[in-house]
Amino acid sequence: MSGDVIRDVFTAVLVLLSAFLCFAAGVGLIRFRDVLSRLHSSTKPQILGLMAIVADVVVANPSVATITLALAIVFFQSLTAPIAAHMLGRAAFRTDHFRRDILVVDEVSPLSGSSRSHSSDE
Amino acid sequence: MSVVIVIAGLLFGAGAVAALWRIIRGPSALDRIIASDVLIATAMCAVGAEMAINRHTDNLPVLLVLALFTVVGSVSVARFISTRDDT
């Protein structure tokens, strides 16, 4: 009986953590000012929220099939979400969809300057 | 437990509405695709929360397919925006 209570508390804590991360991503999407900072807020529920909720499903009903599918879900999400974030950030940088005045450090412009002048000869 | 369900539903709903507002109002296409990624992640977390609360695993293949294929839209939009700048 006490194990059931512990499992319920664990489920509730992980569900609330994931819901809070989704809410924080929404607030960040509204409040932040350019594409790069919105990208920063949007990647929180994609990895940590999904890991919390998948661990939650595994705790709620543990079996070999559930654990295998959960590991596959976390693996593929952590494989594809950084790719998407990287591509979106690169597209935002190349098309100047960010504010240079709120940028703290810019390590890409000296590098992409040479490659851009090289590729603008097309 | 019902209190947890209500609070989690409110938080998921608020996040989804914020993402939807950014999809509608986003100044550029990159904002819209980022907000749609957040909307999909919120939907995945909500489906998983329903599975965890009701103690079943019927929708785990849905999560697997979403984890595999949501990258396609973002990457294709990012590729085509990099080559054509109009917003």
Side-chain angles (χ1 to χ4, degrees):
Chain A
M1 196 58 181
S2 68
D4 224 19
V5 172
I6 290 174
R7 186 184 286 178
D8 272 351
V9 169
F10 201 68
T11 300
V13 167
L14 285 181
V15 164
L16 284 181
L17 172 68
S18 176
F20 175 73
L21 282 171
C22 291
F23 175 69
V27 171
L29 277 181
I30 286 186
R31 293 284 296 170
F32 285 168
R33 287 176 289 181
D34 62 343
V35 172
L36 295 182
S37 49
R38 280 172 197 150
L39 196 60
H40 156 74
S41 80
S42 79
T43 48
K44 297 296 168 292
Q46 289 181 356
I47 296 296
L48 187 55
L50 193 74
M51 282 169 78
I53 215 72
V54 162
D56 204 354
V57 174
V58 168
V59 166
N61 31 23
S63 70
V64 178
T66 309
I67 293 172
T68 308
L69 261 179
L71 283 179
I73 289 168
V74 171
F75 174 73
F76 284 120
Q77 183 73 12
S78 58
L79 191 71
T80 56
I83 296 174
H86 168 75
M87 295 292 285
L88 287 172
R90 196 175 65 164
F93 196 90
R94 284 185 177 174
T95 55
D96 280 333
H97 279 115
F98 65 104
R99 289 176 51 182
R100 287 189 186 275
D101 52 338
I102 58 175
L103 213 59
V104 177
V105 60
D106 184 6
E107 292 178 332
V108 187
S109 285
L111 302 175
S112 70
S114 60
S115 71
R116 174 169 296 179
S117 67
H118 182 71
S119 67
S120 67
D121 296 335
E122 58 189 4
Chain B
M1 202 63 183
S2 61
V3 179
V4 171
I5 292 173
V6 169
I7 293 174
L10 284 178
L11 289 177
F12 280 133
V17 167
L20 204 58
W21 190 82
R22 181 55 69 191
I23 289 176
I24 295 169
R25 289 290 305 274
S28 70
L30 286 170
D31 290 314
R32 293 193 171 95
I33 203 72
I34 289 170
S36 71
D37 277 350
V38 172
L39 192 60
I40 291 175
T42 306
M44 289 170 77
C45 290
V47 167
E50 188 268 330
M51 269 192 294
I53 288 171
N54 290 332
R55 301 274 179 86
H56 65 88
T57 58
D58 297 341
N59 297 326
L60 272 180
V62 178
L63 290 188
L64 184 64
V65 170
L66 282 178
L68 273 171
F69 286 111
T70 53
V71 71
V72 177
S74 308
V75 170
S76 54
V77 169
R79 283 302 288 181
F80 282 107
I81 280 182
S82 288
T83 59
R84 188 173 59 89
D85 184 12
D86 58 351
T87 52

